[in-house]
């Protein structure tokens, strides 16, 4: 009986020792884990600051890079232009097309759209509108900044008619304090309903034979001439 009791006690002690060792292993493991430094998540990058161009549109970094400025075709011409897609594209391409059909045939390299954002001289801040894809220059080498009188009267009449047709949504650099006769730009903010309505009107013209760019307009028509003169007074006031 005594022998059995000693065996039982010896077995019980062995179980207790084994259990204690197991606890030490677990404790040691837990202690080791607690010494592993917590890896903090990397901070999120700060959102890119959106810089507006002079007319209030967001500046892009480059054409065809996932932003709003893309290379778009000019129907009836043999070149493309880098502009803000959508309503802006519809309007500015319309300006280029009418110039091409009614003033002089344009060739590749004659029209400049997007330009990267950069420093500009005081008084020429409007040039930043190129970096938002909302401005074009038509033959800037022919009509340099600061020089007026580059167009013949009949050509100037077409420009005035184009501006009137665009209902004040587009302004011409020839009317700026420092003239820039190659320059045409969107002159309303991105939220403008006037831009949306004009773009819709131009798209309708483009879908109907006998309307829109490509149809030579009579710029001396009394109604058209009156509208052109009225807009000129408003934009040069």
């Amino acid at each position: 009986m005594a022998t059995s009791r000693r065996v039982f006690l010896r077995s019980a002690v062995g179980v207790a020792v084994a259990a204690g060792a197991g606890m030490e292993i677990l404790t040691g493991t837990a202690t080791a884990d607690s010494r592993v430094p917590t890896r903090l998540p990397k901070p999120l990058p700060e959102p890119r600051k959106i810089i507006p161009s002079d007319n209030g549109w967001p500046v892009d970094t480059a054409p065809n890079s996932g932003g709003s400025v893309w290379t778009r075709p000019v129907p009836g011409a043999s070149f493309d232009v880098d502009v803000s897609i959508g309503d802006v594209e519809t309007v500015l391409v319309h300006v280029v097309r009418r110039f091409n059909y009614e003033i002089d045939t344009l060739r590749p390299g004659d029209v400049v759209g997007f330009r990267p954002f950069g420093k500009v001289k005081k008084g020429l801040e409007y040039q930043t509108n190129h970096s938002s894809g909302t401005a074009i220059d038509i033959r800037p080498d022919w009509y340099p900044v600061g020089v007026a009188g580059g167009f013949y009267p009949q050509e100037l009449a077409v420009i005035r008619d184009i501006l009137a047709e665009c209902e004040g949504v587009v302004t011409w650099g020839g009317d700026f304090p420092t003239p820039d006769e190659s320059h045409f730009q969107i002159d309303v903010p991105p939220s403008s309903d006037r831009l949306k309505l004009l773009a819709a009107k131009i798209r309708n013209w483009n879908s109907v034979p006998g309307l829109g760019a490509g149809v030579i307009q009579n710029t001396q028509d009394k109604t058209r001439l009156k509208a052109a003169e009225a807009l000129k007074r408003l934009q040069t006031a």
Side-chain angles (χ1 to χ4, degrees), residues 177-209:
T178 299
D180 186 352
E181 294 189 337
S182 73
H183 185 85
F184 298 83
Q185 68 180 36
I186 298 296
D187 201 38
V188 295
S191 59
S192 173
D193 288 334
R194 291 167 57 201
L195 173 62
K196 293 181 177 65
L197 291 172
L198 174 62
K201 184 184 294 186
I202 292 173
R203 292 188 190 104
N204 181 63
W205 291 340
N206 292 340
S207 66
V208 178

Side-chain angles (χ1 to χ4, degrees), residues 46-69:
E46 294 186 6
R48 184 174 68 88
K49 185 177 180 181
I50 298 177
I51 303 173
S53 56
D54 189 57
N55 59 0
W57 289 74
V59 165
D60 213 333
T61 55
N64 311 313
S65 61
S68 61
V69 178

Side-chain angles (χ1 to χ4, degrees), residues 34-121:
S34 67
R35 289 195 300 269
V36 176
T38 303
R39 181 171 294 177
L40 297 175
K42 292 182 179 180
L44 294 174
E46 294 186 6
R48 184 174 68 88
K49 185 177 180 181
I50 298 177
I51 303 173
S53 56
D54 189 57
N55 59 0
W57 289 74
V59 165
D60 213 333
T61 55
N64 311 313
S65 61
S68 61
V69 178
W70 291 80
T71 303
R72 305 302 298 154
V74 177
S78 57
F79 57 86
D80 303 325
V81 61
D82 297 329
V83 291
S84 180
I85 57 174
D87 293 338
V88 171
E89 169 197 347
T90 298
V91 173
L92 291 183
V93 167
H94 178 73
V95 172
V96 175
R97 293 183 70 199
R98 282 204 59 185
F99 191 108
N100 179 60
Y101 290 131
E102 299 178 55
I103 294 179
D104 195 14
T105 301
L106 298 172
R107 296 169 178 81
D110 280 350
V111 180
V112 179
F114 175 86
R115 286 197 192 104
F117 190 88
K119 294 182 180 179
V120 296
K121 295 179 181 179

Side-chain angles (χ1 to χ4, degrees), residues 110-151:
D110 280 350
V111 180
V112 179
F114 175 86
R115 286 197 192 104
F117 190 88
K119 294 182 180 179
V120 296
K121 295 179 181 179
K122 185 177 181 180
L124 302 181
E125 291 84 1
Y126 66 87
Q127 292 183 354
T128 62
N129 297 331
H130 285 280
S131 58
S132 61
T134 58
I136 54 169
D137 285 352
I138 301 178
R139 290 179 172 165
D141 294 336
W142 291 34
Y143 312 108
V145 177
V147 178
F151 290 97

Side-chain angles (χ1 to χ4, degrees), residues 1-12:
M1 192 68 164
T3 302
S4 299
R5 187 178 180 189
R6 281 197 299 271
V7 172
F8 173 79
L9 291 173
R10 204 179 293 128
S11 300

